[in-house]
Amino acid sequence: MERRTDDDVLDAVGPRLRVLRRDRGITLADLAATTGISESTLSRLENGQRRPSLELLLPLARTYDVPLDDLVGAPRTGDPRIHLKPIRRFGMTFVPLSRRPGGVHAFKMIIPARPEPLEPTPRTHEGFEWLYVLNGRLRLVTGERDLTLPPGEAAEFDTSLPHWLGSADGGVVELLILFGPQGVRAHVRSDAHRSDRAGGRFPARD
Protein backbone atom coordinates (compact mmCIF):
# COMPACT_ATOMS: atom_id res chain seq x y z
CA MET A 1 0.00 0.00 0.00
CA GLU A 2 1.34 3.42 -0.95
CA ARG A 3 2.07 5.64 2.06
CA ARG A 4 0.61 9.10 2.07
CA THR A 5 3.05 11.96 2.45
CA ASP A 6 2.55 14.78 4.93
CA ASP A 7 1.51 17.03 2.05
CA ASP A 8 -1.15 14.51 0.98
CA VAL A 9 -2.57 14.43 4.51
CA LEU A 10 -2.64 18.22 4.84
CA ASP A 11 -4.17 18.70 1.37
CA ALA A 12 -7.08 16.46 2.34
CA VAL A 13 -7.96 18.43 5.50
CA GLY A 14 -9.68 21.34 3.72
CA PRO A 15 -12.19 19.27 1.70
CA ARG A 16 -12.89 17.16 4.80
CA LEU A 17 -13.67 20.29 6.82
CA ARG A 18 -15.97 21.61 4.09
CA VAL A 19 -17.94 18.37 3.92
CA LEU A 20 -18.23 18.22 7.71
CA ARG A 21 -19.50 21.82 7.94
CA ARG A 22 -22.06 21.36 5.16
CA ASP A 23 -23.27 18.06 6.60
CA ARG A 24 -23.91 19.86 9.89
CA GLY A 25 -25.73 22.69 8.13
CA ILE A 26 -23.36 25.36 9.53
CA THR A 27 -22.44 28.54 7.67
CA LEU A 28 -18.97 30.06 7.66
CA ALA A 29 -20.35 33.02 9.61
CA ASP A 30 -21.76 30.72 12.31
CA LEU A 31 -18.52 28.77 12.49
CA ALA A 32 -16.48 31.98 12.77
CA ALA A 33 -18.67 33.19 15.65
CA THR A 34 -18.29 29.88 17.48
CA THR A 35 -14.57 29.30 17.00
CA GLY A 36 -13.24 32.87 16.94
CA ILE A 37 -11.54 32.15 13.60
CA SER A 38 -12.28 34.67 10.86
CA GLU A 39 -14.51 33.73 7.93
CA SER A 40 -11.71 34.44 5.46
CA THR A 41 -9.33 32.10 7.31
CA LEU A 42 -11.96 29.37 7.47
CA SER A 43 -12.70 29.78 3.76
CA ARG A 44 -9.02 29.60 2.81
CA LEU A 45 -8.57 26.60 5.09
CA GLU A 46 -11.40 24.72 3.37
CA ASN A 47 -10.14 25.71 -0.10
CA GLY A 48 -6.62 24.51 0.63
CA GLN A 49 -5.19 28.05 0.48
CA ARG A 50 -4.31 27.99 4.18
CA ARG A 51 -2.29 25.21 5.80
CA PRO A 52 -4.07 23.61 8.77
CA SER A 53 -2.38 24.05 12.12
CA LEU A 54 -3.09 22.75 15.61
CA GLU A 55 -4.20 26.26 16.60
CA LEU A 56 -6.90 26.18 13.90
CA LEU A 57 -7.93 22.53 14.16
CA LEU A 58 -8.44 22.34 17.93
CA PRO A 59 -11.38 24.80 18.09
CA LEU A 60 -12.88 23.17 14.98
CA ALA A 61 -12.67 19.72 16.56
CA ARG A 62 -14.37 21.07 19.70
CA THR A 63 -17.11 22.76 17.68
CA TYR A 64 -17.83 19.66 15.58
CA ASP A 65 -17.39 17.42 18.62
CA VAL A 66 -15.12 15.01 16.76
CA PRO A 67 -11.63 13.68 17.56
CA LEU A 68 -8.76 15.68 16.09
CA ASP A 69 -7.66 12.54 14.24
CA ASP A 70 -10.93 12.60 12.29
CA LEU A 71 -10.15 16.06 10.92
CA VAL A 72 -6.75 15.04 9.57
CA GLY A 73 -7.80 11.54 8.51
CA ALA A 74 -5.28 9.85 10.78
CA PRO A 75 -5.51 6.04 10.91
CA ARG A 76 -7.23 4.76 14.02
CA THR A 77 -5.10 2.74 16.41
CA GLY A 78 -6.18 0.23 18.99
CA ASP A 79 -9.61 -0.10 17.38
CA PRO A 80 -10.19 -3.29 15.35
CA ARG A 81 -13.71 -2.32 14.29
CA ILE A 82 -14.50 -1.43 10.70
CA HIS A 83 -15.45 2.24 10.32
CA LEU A 84 -18.15 2.58 7.70
CA LYS A 85 -18.57 5.57 5.43
CA PRO A 86 -21.53 7.97 5.77
CA ILE A 87 -24.41 7.49 3.34
CA ARG A 88 -26.24 10.49 1.86
CA ARG A 89 -29.85 9.93 0.93
CA PHE A 90 -32.90 12.20 0.53
CA GLY A 91 -30.73 15.20 1.51
CA MET A 92 -29.78 13.61 4.84
CA THR A 93 -26.63 11.87 6.14
CA PHE A 94 -26.70 8.39 7.64
CA VAL A 95 -23.63 7.22 9.56
CA PRO A 96 -23.64 3.41 10.03
CA LEU A 97 -22.85 2.39 13.61
CA SER A 98 -23.08 -1.37 13.12
CA ARG A 99 -22.23 -3.93 10.51
CA ARG A 100 -23.98 -7.24 10.65
CA PRO A 101 -25.57 -9.45 8.00
CA GLY A 102 -29.05 -9.42 9.55
CA GLY A 103 -31.16 -8.23 12.43
CA VAL A 104 -31.36 -4.64 13.68
CA HIS A 105 -29.01 -2.04 12.18
CA ALA A 106 -27.91 1.13 13.98
CA PHE A 107 -27.35 4.53 12.35
CA LYS A 108 -26.70 8.10 13.36
CA MET A 109 -28.83 10.35 11.18
CA ILE A 110 -28.13 14.04 10.52
CA ILE A 111 -30.81 16.28 9.03
CA PRO A 112 -29.16 19.51 7.79
CA ALA A 113 -30.42 22.99 8.55
CA ARG A 114 -32.56 24.78 5.95
CA PRO A 115 -33.86 28.35 5.65
CA GLU A 116 -37.42 26.96 5.77
CA PRO A 117 -38.61 23.56 7.04
CA LEU A 118 -39.52 21.12 4.28
CA GLU A 119 -43.03 19.92 3.63
CA PRO A 120 -43.51 16.23 4.48
CA THR A 121 -43.20 13.72 1.65
CA PRO A 122 -44.12 10.42 3.37
CA ARG A 123 -42.69 7.13 2.12
CA THR A 124 -43.27 3.49 2.97
CA HIS A 125 -41.07 0.39 3.10
CA GLU A 126 -40.96 -2.84 5.01
CA GLY A 127 -39.45 -2.82 8.47
CA PHE A 128 -39.68 -1.31 11.93
CA GLU A 129 -37.83 1.74 13.21
CA TRP A 130 -36.84 3.06 16.65
CA LEU A 131 -35.32 6.52 17.01
CA TYR A 132 -33.91 8.78 19.72
CA VAL A 133 -33.37 12.53 19.26
CA LEU A 134 -29.89 13.74 20.25
CA ASN A 135 -30.03 17.39 19.16
CA GLY A 136 -32.55 19.69 17.50
CA ARG A 137 -36.31 19.33 17.15
CA LEU A 138 -37.51 16.46 15.02
CA ARG A 139 -40.81 16.47 13.15
CA LEU A 140 -42.10 12.92 12.76
CA VAL A 141 -45.09 12.17 10.55
CA THR A 142 -46.45 8.61 10.70
CA GLY A 143 -49.82 7.89 9.18
CA GLU A 144 -52.18 10.55 10.52
CA ARG A 145 -49.89 11.48 13.42
CA ASP A 146 -47.74 14.62 13.30
CA LEU A 147 -45.34 14.80 16.26
CA THR A 148 -42.55 17.16 17.34
CA LEU A 149 -39.83 15.48 19.41
CA PRO A 150 -37.22 17.54 21.32
CA PRO A 151 -33.85 16.15 22.45
CA GLY A 152 -34.16 13.20 24.82
CA GLU A 153 -37.40 11.82 23.36
CA ALA A 154 -37.82 8.66 21.34
CA ALA A 155 -40.36 6.99 19.10
CA GLU A 156 -40.94 3.71 17.33
CA PHE A 157 -43.12 2.95 14.33
CA ASP A 158 -43.92 0.45 11.62
CA THR A 159 -42.29 1.70 8.41
CA SER A 160 -45.00 0.10 6.28
CA LEU A 161 -47.05 3.15 7.37
CA PRO A 162 -46.46 6.36 5.37
CA HIS A 163 -43.78 8.20 7.37
CA TRP A 164 -41.45 11.19 7.11
CA LEU A 165 -38.69 12.65 9.27
CA GLY A 166 -37.55 16.27 9.09
CA SER A 167 -36.61 19.35 11.07
CA ALA A 168 -39.48 20.93 12.98
CA ASP A 169 -37.96 24.42 12.86
CA GLY A 170 -35.38 24.34 10.05
CA GLY A 171 -32.46 23.67 12.38
CA VAL A 172 -30.03 20.76 12.37
CA VAL A 173 -31.39 17.54 13.86
CA GLU A 174 -29.22 14.63 15.01
CA LEU A 175 -30.73 11.30 16.05
CA LEU A 176 -29.94 7.66 16.59
CA ILE A 177 -31.91 5.12 14.59
CA LEU A 178 -32.35 1.37 15.02
CA PHE A 179 -33.88 -0.20 11.95
CA GLY A 180 -34.98 -3.80 11.57
CA PRO A 181 -36.49 -5.66 8.64
CA GLN A 182 -40.14 -6.65 8.73
CA GLY A 183 -40.94 -8.43 11.97
CA VAL A 184 -37.70 -7.46 13.75
CA ARG A 185 -38.12 -4.87 16.50
CA ALA A 186 -35.77 -3.34 19.02
CA HIS A 187 -36.55 -4.63 22.52
CA VAL A 188 -37.12 -1.65 24.82
CA ARG A 189 -37.72 -2.15 28.53
CA SER A 190 -38.84 0.81 30.62
CA ASP A 191 -41.44 1.45 33.30
CA ALA A 192 -42.24 4.69 31.49
CA HIS A 193 -42.69 3.00 28.11
CA ARG A 194 -45.70 4.50 26.38
CA SER A 195 -45.87 3.69 22.70
CA ASP A 196 -47.98 2.17 19.97
CA ARG A 197 -47.16 0.75 16.56
CA ALA A 198 -48.25 3.89 14.73
CA GLY A 199 -45.72 6.50 15.74
CA GLY A 200 -45.83 6.12 19.52
CA ARG A 201 -43.42 8.07 21.69
CA PHE A 202 -41.94 7.76 25.12
CA PRO A 203 -39.70 10.03 27.19
CA ALA A 204 -36.18 9.12 28.12
CA ARG A 205 -35.78 8.14 31.74
CA ASP A 206 -33.75 10.30 34.09
Side-chain angles (χ1 to χ4, degrees):
M1 181 181 296
E2 184 179 352
R3 288 189 63 182
R4 294 189 302 166
T5 66
D6 290 345
D7 285 340
D8 292 334
V9 172
L10 293 175
D11 288 343
V13 172
R16 189 175 294 111
L17 290 172
R18 185 187 304 111
V19 169
L20 185 59
R21 177 176 61 79
R22 290 177 176 175
D23 283 348
R24 299 293 179 89
I26 301 174
T27 66
L28 282 173
D30 292 336
L31 190 58
T34 303
T35 61
I37 303 172
S38 70
E39 287 187 54
S40 61
T41 297
L42 291 170
S43 178
R44 286 188 287 120
L45 186 61
E46 290 186 358
N47 292 329
Q49 299 172 352
R50 172 71 181 264
R51 282 294 200 187
S53 65
L54 192 60
E55 183 181 6
L56 294 174
L57 294 180
L58 280 176
L60 290 171
R62 284 194 296 267
T63 298
Y64 291 133
D65 193 25
V66 298
L68 187 61
D69 285 354
D70 284 3
L71 297 186
V72 297
R76 298 176 182 268
T77 58
D79 187 352
R81 294 173 299 175
I82 298 175
H83 296 271
L84 304 181
K85 295 182 179 180
I87 303 167
R88 293 178 188 169
R89 187 176 298 168
F90 309 126
M92 298 175 287
T93 301
F94 297 82
V95 182
L97 302 178
S98 63
R99 186 170 193 172
R100 52 189 298 191
V104 177
H105 290 242
F107 298 86
K108 179 178 180 181
M109 177 178 171
I110 303 171
I111 302 174
R114 297 180 181 277
E116 296 291 338
L118 293 175
E119 286 299 315
T121 53
R123 302 172 183 270
T124 62
H125 54 86
E126 291 190 352
F128 205 92
E129 194 165 296
W130 182 95
L131 59 83
Y132 178 85
V133 182
L134 296 169
N135 294 298
R137 293 173 59 80
L138 175 71
R139 183 181 179 187
L140 170 63
V141 177
T142 57
E144 296 181 355
R145 292 175 176 263
D146 193 336
L147 306 173
T148 297
L149 279 66
E153 290 208 7
E156 58 178 346
F157 56 93
D158 187 336
T159 56
S160 65
L161 292 170
H163 61 280
W164 178 85
L165 287 74
S167 174
D169 54 16
V172 177
V173 183
E174 299 184 26
L175 55 151
L176 294 178
I177 289 179
L178 297 180
F179 173 77
Q182 189 64 35
V184 179
R185 298 180 60 180
H187 296 285
V188 180
R189 297 189 179 185
S190 171
D191 295 337
H193 187 194
R194 293 180 295 138
S195 70
D196 59 32
R197 294 182 64 86
R201 60 191 288 193
F202 55 92
R205 299 183 66 185
D206 295 328

mmCIF file of all heavy atoms in Angstrom, residues 174-200:
data_model
loop_
_atom_site.group_PDB
_atom_site.id
_atom_site.type_symbol
_atom_site.label_atom_id
_atom_site.label_comp_id
_atom_site.label_asym_id
_atom_site.label_seq_id
_atom_site.Cartn_x
_atom_site.Cartn_y
_atom_site.Cartn_z
ATOM 1 N N GLU A 174 -30.047 15.825 14.948
ATOM 2 C CA GLU A 174 -29.217 14.626 15.013
ATOM 3 C C GLU A 174 -29.960 13.582 15.832
ATOM 4 O O GLU A 174 -30.483 13.886 16.902
ATOM 5 C CB GLU A 174 -27.858 14.928 15.647
ATOM 6 C CG GLU A 174 -27.031 15.948 14.871
ATOM 7 C CD GLU A 174 -25.653 16.158 15.473
ATOM 8 O OE1 GLU A 174 -25.143 15.235 16.135
ATOM 9 O OE2 GLU A 174 -25.098 17.250 15.300
ATOM 10 N N LEU A 175 -30.018 12.358 15.338
ATOM 11 C CA LEU A 175 -30.732 11.302 16.051
ATOM 12 C C LEU A 175 -30.082 9.958 15.821
ATOM 13 O O LEU A 175 -29.321 9.759 14.866
ATOM 14 C CB LEU A 175 -32.201 11.261 15.633
ATOM 15 C CG LEU A 175 -32.537 11.111 14.154
ATOM 16 C CD1 LEU A 175 -33.876 10.400 14.004
ATOM 17 C CD2 LEU A 175 -32.646 12.485 13.484
ATOM 18 N N LEU A 176 -30.361 9.050 16.728
ATOM 19 C CA LEU A 176 -29.944 7.661 16.588
ATOM 20 C C LEU A 176 -31.124 6.856 16.075
ATOM 21 O O LEU A 176 -32.262 7.074 16.511
ATOM 22 C CB LEU A 176 -29.478 7.104 17.931
ATOM 23 C CG LEU A 176 -28.220 7.716 18.536
ATOM 24 C CD1 LEU A 176 -27.931 7.086 19.893
ATOM 25 C CD2 LEU A 176 -27.018 7.536 17.612
ATOM 26 N N ILE A 177 -30.856 5.931 15.169
ATOM 27 C CA ILE A 177 -31.913 5.119 14.587
ATOM 28 C C ILE A 177 -31.535 3.640 14.674
ATOM 29 O O ILE A 177 -30.397 3.267 14.370
ATOM 30 C CB ILE A 177 -32.160 5.498 13.115
ATOM 31 C CG1 ILE A 177 -32.824 6.871 13.014
ATOM 32 C CG2 ILE A 177 -33.030 4.462 12.419
ATOM 33 C CD1 ILE A 177 -33.081 7.334 11.603
ATOM 34 N N LEU A 178 -32.475 2.830 15.110
ATOM 35 C CA LEU A 178 -32.352 1.374 15.016
ATOM 36 C C LEU A 178 -33.402 0.916 14.016
ATOM 37 O O LEU A 178 -34.589 1.192 14.190
ATOM 38 C CB LEU A 178 -32.609 0.712 16.369
ATOM 39 C CG LEU A 178 -31.643 1.050 17.504
ATOM 40 C CD1 LEU A 178 -32.055 0.314 18.771
ATOM 41 C CD2 LEU A 178 -30.206 0.706 17.130
ATOM 42 N N PHE A 179 -32.948 0.247 12.980
ATOM 43 C CA PHE A 179 -33.877 -0.204 11.945
ATOM 44 C C PHE A 179 -33.776 -1.708 11.779
ATOM 45 O O PHE A 179 -32.683 -2.258 11.659
ATOM 46 C CB PHE A 179 -33.584 0.466 10.605
ATOM 47 C CG PHE A 179 -34.400 -0.086 9.466
ATOM 48 C CD1 PHE A 179 -35.728 0.278 9.330
ATOM 49 C CD2 PHE A 179 -33.857 -0.996 8.575
ATOM 50 C CE1 PHE A 179 -36.500 -0.245 8.296
ATOM 51 C CE2 PHE A 179 -34.613 -1.523 7.547
ATOM 52 C CZ PHE A 179 -35.945 -1.147 7.411
ATOM 53 N N GLY A 180 -34.940 -2.361 11.778
ATOM 54 C CA GLY A 180 -34.980 -3.797 11.570
ATOM 55 C C GLY A 180 -35.891 -4.141 10.419
ATOM 56 O O GLY A 180 -36.849 -3.423 10.141
ATOM 57 N N PRO A 181 -35.601 -5.230 9.717
ATOM 58 C CA PRO A 181 -36.494 -5.664 8.640
ATOM 59 C C PRO A 181 -37.848 -6.052 9.195
ATOM 60 O O PRO A 181 -38.052 -6.080 10.413
ATOM 61 C CB PRO A 181 -35.762 -6.875 8.044
ATOM 62 C CG PRO A 181 -34.869 -7.357 9.137
ATOM 63 C CD PRO A 181 -34.477 -6.137 9.919
ATOM 64 N N GLN A 182 -38.782 -6.342 8.311
ATOM 65 C CA GLN A 182 -40.140 -6.647 8.731
ATOM 66 C C GLN A 182 -40.148 -7.746 9.789
ATOM 67 O O GLN A 182 -39.553 -8.796 9.615
ATOM 68 C CB GLN A 182 -40.976 -7.088 7.527
ATOM 69 C CG GLN A 182 -42.460 -7.225 7.827
ATOM 70 C CD GLN A 182 -43.075 -5.886 8.206
ATOM 71 O OE1 GLN A 182 -42.689 -4.851 7.685
ATOM 72 N NE2 GLN A 182 -44.017 -5.912 9.118
ATOM 73 N N GLY A 183 -40.820 -7.453 10.903
ATOM 74 C CA GLY A 183 -40.944 -8.433 11.969
ATOM 75 C C GLY A 183 -39.857 -8.373 13.010
ATOM 76 O O GLY A 183 -39.942 -9.027 14.046
ATOM 77 N N VAL A 184 -38.788 -7.583 12.777
ATOM 78 C CA VAL A 184 -37.697 -7.463 13.749
ATOM 79 C C VAL A 184 -37.788 -6.124 14.434
ATOM 80 O O VAL A 184 -37.695 -5.079 13.794
ATOM 81 C CB VAL A 184 -36.315 -7.606 13.060
ATOM 82 C CG1 VAL A 184 -35.200 -7.446 14.080
ATOM 83 C CG2 VAL A 184 -36.211 -8.953 12.367
ATOM 84 N N ARG A 185 -37.995 -6.108 15.746
ATOM 85 C CA ARG A 185 -38.125 -4.874 16.496
ATOM 86 C C ARG A 185 -37.037 -4.773 17.545
ATOM 87 O O ARG A 185 -36.532 -5.788 18.032
ATOM 88 C CB ARG A 185 -39.490 -4.800 17.192
ATOM 89 C CG ARG A 185 -40.664 -4.812 16.250
ATOM 90 C CD ARG A 185 -41.972 -4.741 17.002
ATOM 91 N NE ARG A 185 -42.081 -3.541 17.811
ATOM 92 C CZ ARG A 185 -43.139 -3.245 18.563
ATOM 93 N NH1 ARG A 185 -44.156 -4.088 18.605
ATOM 94 N NH2 ARG A 185 -43.180 -2.139 19.262
ATOM 95 N N ALA A 186 -36.677 -3.544 17.896
ATOM 96 C CA ALA A 186 -35.772 -3.343 19.017
ATOM 97 C C ALA A 186 -36.534 -3.630 20.303
ATOM 98 O O ALA A 186 -37.701 -3.264 20.447
ATOM 99 C CB ALA A 186 -35.254 -1.897 19.023
ATOM 100 N N HIS A 187 -35.895 -4.293 21.259
ATOM 101 C CA HIS A 187 -36.550 -4.631 22.519
ATOM 102 C C HIS A 187 -36.251 -3.536 23.538
ATOM 103 O O HIS A 187 -35.112 -3.356 23.949
ATOM 104 C CB HIS A 187 -36.067 -5.987 23.030
ATOM 105 C CG HIS A 187 -36.426 -7.112 22.114
ATOM 106 N ND1 HIS A 187 -37.704 -7.630 22.014
ATOM 107 C CD2 HIS A 187 -35.675 -7.813 21.218
ATOM 108 C CE1 HIS A 187 -37.727 -8.602 21.132
ATOM 109 N NE2 HIS A 187 -36.500 -8.730 20.622
ATOM 110 N N VAL A 188 -37.274 -2.765 23.898
ATOM 111 C CA VAL A 188 -37.118 -1.652 24.823
ATOM 112 C C VAL A 188 -37.828 -1.994 26.125
ATOM 113 O O VAL A 188 -39.006 -2.365 26.113
ATOM 114 C CB VAL A 188 -37.709 -0.343 24.242
ATOM 115 C CG1 VAL A 188 -37.526 0.798 25.215
ATOM 116 C CG2 VAL A 188 -37.052 -0.036 22.906
ATOM 117 N N ARG A 189 -37.110 -1.887 27.245
ATOM 118 C CA ARG A 189 -37.720 -2.150 28.535
ATOM 119 C C ARG A 189 -37.644 -0.892 29.384
ATOM 120 O O ARG A 189 -36.581 -0.356 29.628
ATOM 121 C CB ARG A 189 -36.996 -3.297 29.250
ATOM 122 C CG ARG A 189 -37.100 -4.611 28.497
ATOM 123 C CD ARG A 189 -36.569 -5.755 29.300
ATOM 124 N NE ARG A 189 -36.692 -7.005 28.580
ATOM 125 C CZ ARG A 189 -36.377 -8.188 29.101
ATOM 126 N NH1 ARG A 189 -35.930 -8.261 30.339
ATOM 127 N NH2 ARG A 189 -36.516 -9.292 28.375
ATOM 128 N N SER A 190 -38.776 -0.413 29.818
ATOM 129 C CA SER A 190 -38.835 0.809 30.616
ATOM 130 C C SER A 190 -40.190 0.884 31.301
ATOM 131 O O SER A 190 -41.221 0.608 30.695
ATOM 132 C CB SER A 190 -38.631 2.044 29.730
ATOM 133 O OG SER A 190 -38.894 3.227 30.460
ATOM 134 N N ASP A 191 -40.183 1.267 32.584
ATOM 135 C CA ASP A 191 -41.442 1.446 33.300
ATOM 136 C C ASP A 191 -42.249 2.583 32.712
ATOM 137 O O ASP A 191 -43.469 2.636 32.848
ATOM 138 C CB ASP A 191 -41.167 1.733 34.791
ATOM 139 C CG ASP A 191 -40.520 0.543 35.479
ATOM 140 O OD1 ASP A 191 -40.680 -0.588 34.970
ATOM 141 O OD2 ASP A 191 -39.857 0.744 36.503
ATOM 142 N N ALA A 192 -41.552 3.522 32.040
ATOM 143 C CA ALA A 192 -42.235 4.692 31.485
ATOM 144 C C ALA A 192 -42.595 4.495 30.023
ATOM 145 O O ALA A 192 -42.993 5.420 29.345
ATOM 146 C CB ALA A 192 -41.338 5.929 31.625
ATOM 147 N N HIS A 193 -42.460 3.263 29.526
ATOM 148 C CA HIS A 193 -42.686 3.002 28.107
ATOM 149 C C HIS A 193 -44.148 3.257 27.745
ATOM 150 O O HIS A 193 -45.040 2.622 28.253
ATOM 151 C CB HIS A 193 -42.303 1.540 27.825
ATOM 152 C CG HIS A 193 -42.348 1.213 26.362
ATOM 153 N ND1 HIS A 193 -42.319 -0.066 25.892
ATOM 154 C CD2 HIS A 193 -42.415 2.001 25.265
ATOM 155 C CE1 HIS A 193 -42.373 -0.072 24.587
ATOM 156 N NE2 HIS A 193 -42.426 1.171 24.178
ATOM 157 N N ARG A 194 -44.353 4.180 26.852
ATOM 158 C CA ARG A 194 -45.699 4.501 26.382
ATOM 159 C C ARG A 194 -45.625 4.653 24.876
ATOM 160 O O ARG A 194 -45.259 5.691 24.374
ATOM 161 C CB ARG A 194 -46.204 5.811 26.999
ATOM 162 C CG ARG A 194 -46.433 5.729 28.493
ATOM 163 C CD ARG A 194 -46.938 7.059 29.008
ATOM 164 N NE ARG A 194 -45.932 8.097 28.848
ATOM 165 C CZ ARG A 194 -46.206 9.323 28.439
ATOM 166 N NH1 ARG A 194 -47.425 9.660 28.087
ATOM 167 N NH2 ARG A 194 -45.249 10.219 28.344
ATOM 168 N N SER A 195 -45.977 3.608 24.153
ATOM 169 C CA SER A 195 -45.871 3.693 22.701
ATOM 170 C C SER A 195 -46.945 2.852 22.051
ATOM 171 O O SER A 195 -47.595 2.027 22.678
ATOM 172 C CB SER A 195 -44.490 3.208 22.235
ATOM 173 O OG SER A 195 -44.382 1.816 22.423
ATOM 174 N N ASP A 196 -47.160 3.060 20.758
ATOM 175 C CA ASP A 196 -47.980 2.168 19.973
ATOM 176 C C ASP A 196 -47.288 1.937 18.645
ATOM 177 O O ASP A 196 -46.237 2.509 18.384
ATOM 178 C CB ASP A 196 -49.405 2.722 19.795
ATOM 179 C CG ASP A 196 -49.409 4.079 19.106
ATOM 180 O OD1 ASP A 196 -48.525 4.327 18.260
ATOM 181 O OD2 ASP A 196 -50.308 4.868 19.413
ATOM 182 N N ARG A 197 -47.841 1.114 17.791
ATOM 183 C CA ARG A 197 -47.163 0.752 16.562
ATOM 184 C C ARG A 197 -47.303 1.809 15.484
ATOM 185 O O ARG A 197 -46.758 1.655 14.390
ATOM 186 C CB ARG A 197 -47.692 -0.582 16.048
ATOM 187 C CG ARG A 197 -47.375 -1.751 16.949
ATOM 188 C CD ARG A 197 -47.893 -3.039 16.351
ATOM 189 N NE ARG A 197 -47.216 -3.358 15.093
ATOM 190 C CZ ARG A 197 -46.079 -4.020 15.026
ATOM 191 N NH1 ARG A 197 -45.471 -4.420 16.132
ATOM 192 N NH2 ARG A 197 -45.534 -4.300 13.841
ATOM 193 N N ALA A 198 -48.018 2.862 15.754
ATOM 194 C CA ALA A 198 -48.254 3.892 14.731
ATOM 195 C C ALA A 198 -47.674 5.222 15.172
ATOM 196 O O ALA A 198 -48.367 6.196 15.342
ATOM 197 C CB ALA A 198 -49.742 4.034 14.453
ATOM 198 N N GLY A 199 -46.367 5.221 15.417
ATOM 199 C CA GLY A 199 -45.720 6.499 15.743
ATOM 200 C C GLY A 199 -45.841 6.836 17.206
ATOM 201 O O GLY A 199 -45.983 8.001 17.569
ATOM 202 N N GLY A 200 -45.769 5.838 18.090
ATOM 203 C CA GLY A 200 -45.832 6.116 19.515
ATOM 204 C C GLY A 200 -44.563 6.823 19.966
ATOM 205 O O GLY A 200 -43.556 6.826 19.286
#
